[in-house]
Short mmCIF file of all heavy atoms in Angstrom, two decimals:
data_model
loop_
_atom_site.label_atom_id
_atom_site.label_comp_id
_atom_site.label_asym_id
_atom_site.label_seq_id
_atom_site.Cartn_x
_atom_site.Cartn_y
_atom_site.Cartn_z
N MET A 8 116.06 116.35 60.49
CA MET A 8 114.98 115.35 60.31
C MET A 8 115.44 114.28 59.36
O MET A 8 116.13 114.57 58.30
CB MET A 8 113.81 116.22 59.65
CG MET A 8 112.59 115.43 59.40
SD MET A 8 111.25 116.51 58.99
CE MET A 8 110.46 115.62 57.86
N THR A 9 115.06 113.02 59.73
CA THR A 9 115.49 111.97 58.86
C THR A 9 114.53 111.79 57.75
O THR A 9 113.37 112.19 57.80
CB THR A 9 115.55 110.63 59.70
OG1 THR A 9 114.24 110.39 60.15
CG2 THR A 9 116.41 110.80 60.86
N ARG A 10 115.03 111.40 56.63
CA ARG A 10 114.22 111.16 55.38
C ARG A 10 114.50 109.82 54.68
O ARG A 10 115.58 109.29 54.80
CB ARG A 10 114.61 112.29 54.44
CG ARG A 10 114.25 113.69 55.01
CD ARG A 10 114.62 114.79 54.00
NE ARG A 10 114.42 116.11 54.55
CZ ARG A 10 113.34 116.90 54.45
NH1 ARG A 10 112.27 116.43 53.78
NH2 ARG A 10 113.31 118.02 55.08
N GLY A 11 113.47 109.50 54.01
CA GLY A 11 113.61 108.34 53.11
C GLY A 11 114.11 107.02 53.85
O GLY A 11 113.37 106.55 54.72
N ASN A 12 115.04 106.41 53.38
CA ASN A 12 115.60 105.14 53.86
C ASN A 12 115.96 105.18 55.23
O ASN A 12 115.71 104.15 56.01
CB ASN A 12 116.75 104.68 52.98
CG ASN A 12 117.14 103.29 53.25
OD1 ASN A 12 116.33 102.44 53.56
ND2 ASN A 12 118.41 103.01 53.17
N GLN A 13 116.54 106.23 55.71
CA GLN A 13 117.00 106.44 57.20
C GLN A 13 115.77 106.23 58.05
O GLN A 13 115.81 105.69 59.04
CB GLN A 13 117.70 107.79 57.35
CG GLN A 13 118.30 107.79 58.76
CD GLN A 13 119.26 106.80 59.07
OE1 GLN A 13 120.13 106.52 58.21
NE2 GLN A 13 119.33 106.29 60.23
N ARG A 14 114.62 106.91 57.73
CA ARG A 14 113.41 106.82 58.49
C ARG A 14 112.95 105.37 58.57
O ARG A 14 112.60 104.89 59.76
CB ARG A 14 112.31 107.74 57.94
CG ARG A 14 111.03 107.75 58.75
CD ARG A 14 109.99 108.55 58.04
NE ARG A 14 110.39 109.95 57.80
CZ ARG A 14 110.00 110.72 56.83
NH1 ARG A 14 109.19 110.23 55.86
NH2 ARG A 14 110.47 111.87 56.65
N ASP A 15 112.95 104.65 57.52
CA ASP A 15 112.48 103.25 57.49
C ASP A 15 113.51 102.42 58.41
O ASP A 15 113.05 101.52 59.08
CB ASP A 15 112.45 102.73 56.11
CG ASP A 15 111.44 103.34 55.24
OD1 ASP A 15 110.44 103.82 55.85
OD2 ASP A 15 111.51 103.32 54.01
N ASN A 16 114.77 102.68 58.22
CA ASN A 16 115.79 101.96 59.03
C ASN A 16 115.53 102.22 60.54
O ASN A 16 115.60 101.31 61.33
CB ASN A 16 117.15 102.34 58.67
CG ASN A 16 117.52 101.91 57.24
OD1 ASN A 16 116.96 100.95 56.71
ND2 ASN A 16 118.61 102.46 56.71
N ASP A 17 115.22 103.46 60.84
CA ASP A 17 115.08 103.81 62.26
C ASP A 17 113.78 103.10 62.83
O ASP A 17 113.77 102.67 63.94
CB ASP A 17 114.94 105.33 62.53
CG ASP A 17 116.29 105.99 62.36
OD1 ASP A 17 117.30 105.30 62.42
OD2 ASP A 17 116.33 107.22 62.18
N ARG A 18 112.77 103.04 62.04
CA ARG A 18 111.54 102.40 62.47
C ARG A 18 111.72 100.89 62.64
O ARG A 18 111.28 100.29 63.55
CB ARG A 18 110.38 102.61 61.39
CG ARG A 18 109.86 103.92 61.45
CD ARG A 18 108.69 104.15 60.53
NE ARG A 18 108.17 105.50 60.50
CZ ARG A 18 107.62 106.08 59.43
NH1 ARG A 18 107.38 105.40 58.44
NH2 ARG A 18 107.17 107.29 59.57
N ALA A 19 112.51 100.28 61.81
CA ALA A 19 112.84 98.87 61.88
C ALA A 19 113.69 98.65 63.10
O ALA A 19 113.43 97.64 63.71
CB ALA A 19 113.57 98.30 60.61
N LYS A 20 114.61 99.44 63.30
CA LYS A 20 115.41 99.34 64.47
C LYS A 20 114.64 99.48 65.75
O LYS A 20 114.84 98.72 66.72
CB LYS A 20 116.58 100.31 64.45
CG LYS A 20 117.60 100.26 65.49
CD LYS A 20 118.72 101.33 65.39
CE LYS A 20 119.58 101.30 66.56
NZ LYS A 20 120.69 102.39 66.37
N ALA A 21 113.67 100.45 65.84
CA ALA A 21 112.83 100.56 67.01
C ALA A 21 111.96 99.40 67.14
O ALA A 21 111.75 98.89 68.34
CB ALA A 21 112.08 101.87 66.78
N LEU A 22 111.42 98.83 66.11
CA LEU A 22 110.49 97.66 66.21
C LEU A 22 111.32 96.48 66.73
O LEU A 22 110.83 95.65 67.56
CB LEU A 22 109.84 97.34 64.89
CG LEU A 22 108.76 98.14 64.46
CD1 LEU A 22 108.30 97.77 62.97
CD2 LEU A 22 107.59 98.01 65.41
N LYS A 23 112.56 96.25 66.27
CA LYS A 23 113.33 95.26 66.67
C LYS A 23 113.66 95.31 68.20
O LYS A 23 113.66 94.33 68.97
CB LYS A 23 114.62 95.14 65.81
CG LYS A 23 115.54 93.93 66.23
CD LYS A 23 116.72 93.96 65.26
CE LYS A 23 117.72 92.81 65.72
NZ LYS A 23 118.83 92.86 64.79
N LYS A 24 113.98 96.55 68.61
CA LYS A 24 114.41 96.85 69.98
C LYS A 24 113.14 96.52 70.87
O LYS A 24 113.22 95.92 71.91
CB LYS A 24 114.74 98.24 70.17
CG LYS A 24 115.38 98.56 71.52
CD LYS A 24 115.88 100.01 71.56
CE LYS A 24 116.50 100.26 72.89
NZ LYS A 24 116.94 101.64 72.98
N ALA A 25 111.97 96.97 70.52
CA ALA A 25 110.71 96.75 71.22
C ALA A 25 110.34 95.26 71.24
O ALA A 25 109.76 94.83 72.28
CB ALA A 25 109.62 97.59 70.63
N GLY A 26 110.62 94.56 70.25
CA GLY A 26 110.40 93.09 70.14
C GLY A 26 111.23 92.29 71.09
O GLY A 26 110.82 91.22 71.52
N ASN A 27 112.38 92.78 71.46
CA ASN A 27 113.36 92.06 72.30
C ASN A 27 112.99 92.14 73.72
O ASN A 27 113.51 91.35 74.60
CB ASN A 27 114.74 92.50 72.11
CG ASN A 27 115.25 92.19 70.77
OD1 ASN A 27 114.88 91.19 70.21
ND2 ASN A 27 116.37 92.87 70.31
N THR A 28 112.11 93.10 74.11
CA THR A 28 111.80 93.26 75.51
C THR A 28 110.87 92.19 75.94
O THR A 28 110.00 91.65 75.17
CB THR A 28 111.09 94.54 75.82
OG1 THR A 28 109.90 94.78 75.01
CG2 THR A 28 112.11 95.78 75.50
N LYS A 29 110.96 91.72 77.26
CA LYS A 29 110.16 90.72 77.76
C LYS A 29 108.88 91.24 78.31
O LYS A 29 108.81 92.09 79.20
CB LYS A 29 110.92 89.97 78.88
CG LYS A 29 110.24 88.69 79.40
CD LYS A 29 111.14 88.06 80.37
CE LYS A 29 110.57 86.74 80.81
NZ LYS A 29 111.45 86.14 81.79
N ASN A 30 107.71 90.96 77.62
CA ASN A 30 106.39 91.55 78.12
C ASN A 30 105.55 90.58 78.86
O ASN A 30 104.66 91.01 79.56
CB ASN A 30 105.64 91.93 76.82
CG ASN A 30 106.38 93.04 76.10
OD1 ASN A 30 107.02 93.89 76.70
ND2 ASN A 30 106.22 93.05 74.72
N LYS A 31 105.83 89.25 78.76
CA LYS A 31 104.90 88.32 79.35
C LYS A 31 105.51 87.84 80.76
O LYS A 31 106.70 87.73 80.97
CB LYS A 31 104.73 87.04 78.52
CG LYS A 31 103.73 87.31 77.39
CD LYS A 31 103.46 85.93 76.75
CE LYS A 31 102.29 86.00 75.83
NZ LYS A 31 102.01 84.75 75.20
N ASN A 32 104.64 87.46 81.58
CA ASN A 32 105.03 86.83 82.87
C ASN A 32 105.07 85.37 82.58
O ASN A 32 104.11 84.77 82.25
CB ASN A 32 103.93 87.07 83.89
CG ASN A 32 104.30 86.49 85.22
OD1 ASN A 32 105.37 86.08 85.51
ND2 ASN A 32 103.31 86.46 86.15
N THR A 33 106.36 84.79 82.85
CA THR A 33 106.53 83.41 82.49
C THR A 33 106.28 82.63 83.76
O THR A 33 106.45 81.27 83.61
CB THR A 33 107.87 83.18 82.02
OG1 THR A 33 108.86 83.59 82.99
CG2 THR A 33 108.12 83.95 80.64
N GLN A 34 105.90 83.11 84.89
CA GLN A 34 105.74 82.27 86.09
C GLN A 34 104.25 81.66 86.01
O GLN A 34 103.41 82.26 85.56
CB GLN A 34 105.87 83.12 87.32
CG GLN A 34 107.27 83.66 87.54
CD GLN A 34 107.24 84.62 88.77
OE1 GLN A 34 106.31 85.22 89.09
NE2 GLN A 34 108.39 84.58 89.40
N SER A 35 104.24 80.47 86.70
CA SER A 35 102.89 79.89 86.75
C SER A 35 102.22 80.57 87.86
O SER A 35 102.69 81.48 88.60
CB SER A 35 102.99 78.34 87.12
OG SER A 35 103.44 78.24 88.45
N GLY A 36 100.86 80.36 88.09
CA GLY A 36 100.09 81.01 89.06
C GLY A 36 100.58 80.80 90.54
O GLY A 36 100.63 81.77 91.29
N THR A 37 101.01 79.64 90.73
CA THR A 37 101.60 79.38 92.12
C THR A 37 102.87 80.05 92.31
O THR A 37 103.13 80.54 93.39
CB THR A 37 101.64 77.85 92.42
OG1 THR A 37 102.44 77.22 91.47
CG2 THR A 37 100.33 77.25 92.45
N GLU A 38 103.72 80.05 91.36
CA GLU A 38 105.03 80.67 91.47
C GLU A 38 104.89 82.06 91.69
O GLU A 38 105.43 82.83 92.50
CB GLU A 38 105.93 80.37 90.25
CG GLU A 38 106.38 78.93 90.04
CD GLU A 38 107.04 78.81 88.70
OE1 GLU A 38 106.76 79.45 87.74
OE2 GLU A 38 107.92 77.87 88.70
N PHE A 39 103.94 82.80 90.90
CA PHE A 39 103.73 84.20 90.90
C PHE A 39 103.15 84.49 92.35
O PHE A 39 103.56 85.52 92.91
CB PHE A 39 102.71 84.57 89.86
CG PHE A 39 102.38 86.10 89.83
CD1 PHE A 39 103.40 86.92 89.42
CD2 PHE A 39 101.23 86.60 90.22
CE1 PHE A 39 103.19 88.32 89.42
CE2 PHE A 39 100.94 87.91 90.23
CZ PHE A 39 101.89 88.80 89.78
N ALA A 40 102.25 83.73 92.91
CA ALA A 40 101.65 84.01 94.17
C ALA A 40 102.78 83.85 95.21
O ALA A 40 102.74 84.73 96.18
CB ALA A 40 100.51 83.02 94.45
N ARG A 41 103.67 82.86 95.09
CA ARG A 41 104.67 82.78 96.12
C ARG A 41 105.67 83.88 96.13
O ARG A 41 106.01 84.37 97.08
CB ARG A 41 105.41 81.39 95.87
CG ARG A 41 106.43 81.11 96.97
CD ARG A 41 107.10 79.79 96.63
NE ARG A 41 107.49 79.79 95.27
CZ ARG A 41 107.66 78.62 94.60
NH1 ARG A 41 107.46 77.39 95.12
NH2 ARG A 41 108.00 78.57 93.37
N SER A 42 106.01 84.32 94.96
CA SER A 42 106.93 85.40 94.82
C SER A 42 106.34 86.72 95.30
O SER A 42 106.98 87.55 95.92
CB SER A 42 107.45 85.63 93.36
OG SER A 42 106.45 86.01 92.47
N LYS A 43 105.08 86.92 95.02
CA LYS A 43 104.27 88.03 95.45
C LYS A 43 104.30 88.03 97.13
O LYS A 43 104.43 89.04 97.79
CB LYS A 43 102.88 87.97 94.95
CG LYS A 43 102.14 89.29 95.00
CD LYS A 43 100.89 89.12 94.22
CE LYS A 43 99.91 90.38 94.40
NZ LYS A 43 98.64 90.18 93.71
N GLU A 44 103.94 86.91 97.66
CA GLU A 44 103.94 86.77 99.09
C GLU A 44 105.34 86.93 99.68
O GLU A 44 105.49 87.54 100.83
CB GLU A 44 103.46 85.39 99.51
CG GLU A 44 103.27 85.12 100.99
CD GLU A 44 102.38 86.17 101.73
OE1 GLU A 44 101.45 86.55 101.11
OE2 GLU A 44 102.66 86.51 102.79
N ASP A 45 106.40 86.51 99.06
CA ASP A 45 107.78 86.72 99.57
C ASP A 45 108.06 88.20 99.56
O ASP A 45 108.68 88.64 100.55
CB ASP A 45 108.83 85.98 98.67
CG ASP A 45 108.76 84.46 98.86
OD1 ASP A 45 108.12 84.00 99.85
OD2 ASP A 45 109.31 83.73 97.92
N ALA A 46 107.73 88.87 98.49
CA ALA A 46 108.00 90.35 98.37
C ALA A 46 107.15 91.05 99.57
O ALA A 46 107.62 91.97 100.24
CB ALA A 46 107.62 90.86 97.03
N ALA A 47 105.96 90.67 99.86
CA ALA A 47 105.03 91.28 100.85
C ALA A 47 105.72 91.02 102.15
O ALA A 47 105.74 91.85 103.03
CB ALA A 47 103.60 90.70 100.72
N ALA A 48 106.27 89.76 102.50
CA ALA A 48 106.87 89.44 103.72
C ALA A 48 108.11 90.38 104.01
O ALA A 48 108.26 90.87 105.09
CB ALA A 48 107.27 88.02 103.81
N ILE A 49 108.89 90.50 102.92
CA ILE A 49 110.04 91.48 103.07
C ILE A 49 109.59 92.84 103.45
O ILE A 49 110.16 93.49 104.30
CB ILE A 49 110.86 91.41 101.81
CG1 ILE A 49 111.52 90.05 101.57
CG2 ILE A 49 111.90 92.50 101.76
CD1 ILE A 49 112.12 89.86 100.20
N MET A 50 108.57 93.28 102.79
CA MET A 50 108.04 94.69 102.98
C MET A 50 107.48 94.83 104.35
O MET A 50 107.70 95.79 105.10
CB MET A 50 107.11 95.11 102.02
CG MET A 50 107.57 95.22 100.58
SD MET A 50 108.96 96.43 100.50
CE MET A 50 108.34 97.98 100.89
N ARG A 51 106.80 93.73 104.85
CA ARG A 51 106.22 93.77 106.24
C ARG A 51 107.41 93.84 107.30
O ARG A 51 107.32 94.57 108.31
CB ARG A 51 105.35 92.62 106.49
CG ARG A 51 103.99 92.71 105.92
CD ARG A 51 103.11 91.62 106.51
NE ARG A 51 103.49 90.27 105.91
CZ ARG A 51 103.10 89.67 104.91
NH1 ARG A 51 102.27 90.26 104.11
NH2 ARG A 51 103.51 88.50 104.58
N GLU A 52 108.40 93.08 106.97
CA GLU A 52 109.58 93.14 107.97
C GLU A 52 110.28 94.55 107.94
O GLU A 52 110.61 95.06 109.03
CB GLU A 52 110.63 92.02 107.50
CG GLU A 52 111.85 91.96 108.41
CD GLU A 52 111.48 91.43 109.77
OE1 GLU A 52 110.49 90.88 110.04
OE2 GLU A 52 112.34 91.78 110.58
N LYS A 53 110.45 95.09 106.74
CA LYS A 53 111.01 96.47 106.69
C LYS A 53 110.11 97.51 107.44
O LYS A 53 110.59 98.36 108.13
CB LYS A 53 111.22 96.86 105.22
CG LYS A 53 112.31 96.22 104.60
CD LYS A 53 112.36 96.57 103.06
CE LYS A 53 112.92 97.90 102.89
NZ LYS A 53 113.09 98.21 101.45
N GLN A 54 108.81 97.27 107.35
CA GLN A 54 107.90 98.30 108.01
C GLN A 54 107.93 98.08 109.46
O GLN A 54 107.94 99.04 110.23
CB GLN A 54 106.44 97.99 107.45
CG GLN A 54 105.47 98.95 108.03
CD GLN A 54 105.81 100.49 107.52
OE1 GLN A 54 105.97 100.73 106.41
NE2 GLN A 54 105.85 101.43 108.53
N ARG A 55 108.02 96.81 109.95
CA ARG A 55 108.12 96.44 111.32
C ARG A 55 109.38 97.15 111.96
O ARG A 55 109.39 97.79 112.98
CB ARG A 55 108.15 95.03 111.65
CG ARG A 55 108.19 94.65 113.11
CD ARG A 55 108.32 93.20 113.32
NE ARG A 55 109.62 92.65 112.84
CZ ARG A 55 110.81 92.77 113.48
NH1 ARG A 55 110.80 93.36 114.64
NH2 ARG A 55 111.91 92.20 113.03
N LYS A 56 110.63 97.10 111.22
CA LYS A 56 111.76 97.65 111.72
C LYS A 56 111.68 99.13 111.75
O LYS A 56 112.13 99.83 112.71
CB LYS A 56 112.93 97.18 110.76
CG LYS A 56 113.35 95.76 111.03
CD LYS A 56 114.51 95.46 110.13
CE LYS A 56 114.96 93.97 110.35
NZ LYS A 56 116.07 93.60 109.46
N ALA A 57 111.11 99.68 110.70
CA ALA A 57 110.87 101.17 110.74
C ALA A 57 110.02 101.71 111.86
O ALA A 57 110.30 102.72 112.48
CB ALA A 57 110.35 101.64 109.35
N ASP A 58 108.95 100.95 112.18
CA ASP A 58 108.04 101.29 113.27
C ASP A 58 108.82 101.18 114.62
O ASP A 58 108.68 102.07 115.50
CB ASP A 58 106.85 100.38 113.24
CG ASP A 58 105.87 100.69 112.21
OD1 ASP A 58 105.99 101.80 111.47
OD2 ASP A 58 105.05 99.85 111.86
N GLU A 59 109.68 100.19 114.76
CA GLU A 59 110.38 99.99 116.02
C GLU A 59 111.36 101.18 116.10
O GLU A 59 111.63 101.67 117.18
CB GLU A 59 111.20 98.66 115.93
CG GLU A 59 110.27 97.45 116.23
CD GLU A 59 111.11 96.20 116.09
OE1 GLU A 59 112.34 96.20 115.74
OE2 GLU A 59 110.48 95.09 116.36
N LYS A 60 112.14 101.52 114.98
CA LYS A 60 113.02 102.67 115.07
C LYS A 60 112.30 103.94 115.43
O LYS A 60 112.83 104.75 116.24
CB LYS A 60 113.73 102.75 113.74
CG LYS A 60 114.86 103.80 113.66
CD LYS A 60 115.40 103.88 112.28
CE LYS A 60 116.44 104.91 112.20
NZ LYS A 60 116.95 105.05 110.87
N LYS A 61 111.21 104.09 114.82
CA LYS A 61 110.44 105.34 115.13
C LYS A 61 109.93 105.40 116.53
O LYS A 61 110.04 106.42 117.26
CB LYS A 61 109.15 105.35 114.26
CG LYS A 61 108.48 106.76 114.19
CD LYS A 61 107.30 106.74 113.32
CE LYS A 61 107.74 106.63 111.83
NZ LYS A 61 106.54 106.74 110.86
N ALA A 62 109.55 104.28 117.10
CA ALA A 62 109.09 104.17 118.47
C ALA A 62 110.33 104.43 119.49
O ALA A 62 110.21 105.08 120.50
CB ALA A 62 108.47 102.80 118.82
N ALA A 63 111.47 103.91 119.11
CA ALA A 63 112.73 104.10 119.86
C ALA A 63 113.08 105.58 119.87
O ALA A 63 113.46 106.12 120.99
CB ALA A 63 113.82 103.21 119.45
N GLU A 64 113.00 106.18 118.74
CA GLU A 64 113.34 107.62 118.66
C GLU A 64 112.34 108.55 119.43
O GLU A 64 112.72 109.46 120.03
CB GLU A 64 113.42 108.10 117.19
CG GLU A 64 114.58 107.57 116.44
CD GLU A 64 114.53 107.88 114.95
OE1 GLU A 64 113.57 108.53 114.44
OE2 GLU A 64 115.54 107.60 114.22
N ALA A 65 111.06 108.03 119.38
CA ALA A 65 110.10 108.84 120.11
C ALA A 65 110.30 108.66 121.64
O ALA A 65 110.15 109.67 122.45
CB ALA A 65 108.75 108.29 119.76
N ALA A 66 110.61 107.49 122.01
CA ALA A 66 110.96 107.24 123.47
C ALA A 66 112.20 108.00 123.95
O ALA A 66 112.21 108.60 124.98
CB ALA A 66 111.08 105.79 123.71
N ALA A 67 113.14 108.07 123.09
CA ALA A 67 114.38 108.80 123.46
C ALA A 67 114.16 110.27 123.43
O ALA A 67 114.61 111.00 124.26
CB ALA A 67 115.49 108.58 122.41
N GLY A 68 113.22 110.75 122.54
CA GLY A 68 112.87 112.12 122.56
C GLY A 68 112.13 112.60 123.78
O GLY A 68 112.26 113.69 124.28
N LYS A 69 111.20 111.68 124.34
CA LYS A 69 110.42 112.01 125.46
C LYS A 69 111.33 112.08 126.74
O LYS A 69 111.10 113.01 127.63
CB LYS A 69 109.35 110.97 125.70
CG LYS A 69 108.22 111.07 124.75
CD LYS A 69 107.12 110.10 125.07
CE LYS A 69 106.01 110.14 124.08
NZ LYS A 69 104.95 109.19 124.33
N SER A 70 112.28 111.25 126.75
CA SER A 70 113.20 111.18 127.94
C SER A 70 114.10 112.40 128.02
O SER A 70 114.53 112.81 129.10
CB SER A 70 113.99 109.96 128.03
OG SER A 70 114.93 109.82 126.84
N LYS A 71 114.42 113.02 126.87
CA LYS A 71 115.31 114.16 126.85
C LYS A 71 114.52 115.42 127.28
O LYS A 71 115.14 116.39 127.83
CB LYS A 71 115.87 114.48 125.45
CG LYS A 71 116.89 113.45 125.00
CD LYS A 71 117.44 113.71 123.66
CE LYS A 71 118.42 112.70 123.26
NZ LYS A 71 118.95 113.00 121.84
N LYS A 72 113.22 115.49 127.09
CA LYS A 72 112.55 116.72 127.44
C LYS A 72 112.37 116.93 128.92
O LYS A 72 112.35 116.55 129.85
CB LYS A 72 111.10 116.62 126.82
CG LYS A 72 111.18 116.84 125.30
CD LYS A 72 109.87 116.87 124.66
CE LYS A 72 109.97 117.08 123.18
NZ LYS A 72 108.66 117.05 122.56
#
């Protein structure tokens, strides 16, 4: 267990470390909306590819039976 000065030093170190993290969004509203839409487009494309793969596997599975 830390005592005395060491405890204070650890608290100061933790506060400094927490203060260095970036907490705010620095993008403007339009930049944020655009980046959000870009991410959504990427996810839609990934989902479309996954659905196509699943359909192809299902079609291949039916033909084998």
Side-chain angles (χ1 to χ4, degrees):
M8 183 167 139
T9 60
R10 299 184 185 260
N12 190 32
Q13 185 63 41
R14 183 182 302 148
D15 293 336
N16 289 343
D17 288 343
R18 285 183 183 156
K20 186 177 177 183
L22 283 173
K23 184 178 179 182
K24 186 175 181 181
N27 289 338
T28 60
K29 188 175 183 181
N30 295 330
K31 282 190 171 183
N32 180 10
T33 58
Q34 295 177 329
S35 69
T37 55
E38 289 174 333
F39 182 71
R41 184 180 46 208
S42 65
K43 196 172 171 184
E44 182 58 35
D45 290 344
I49 292 168
M50 292 307 294
R51 282 192 293 270
E52 182 66 21
K53 287 175 76 173
Q54 186 63 49
R55 183 186 63 79
K56 287 181 181 179
D58 289 342
E59 287 176 358
K60 183 179 178 184
K61 194 180 290 184
E64 288 175 356
K69 287 183 181 178
S70 65
K71 289 182 180 178
K72 288 183 181 177

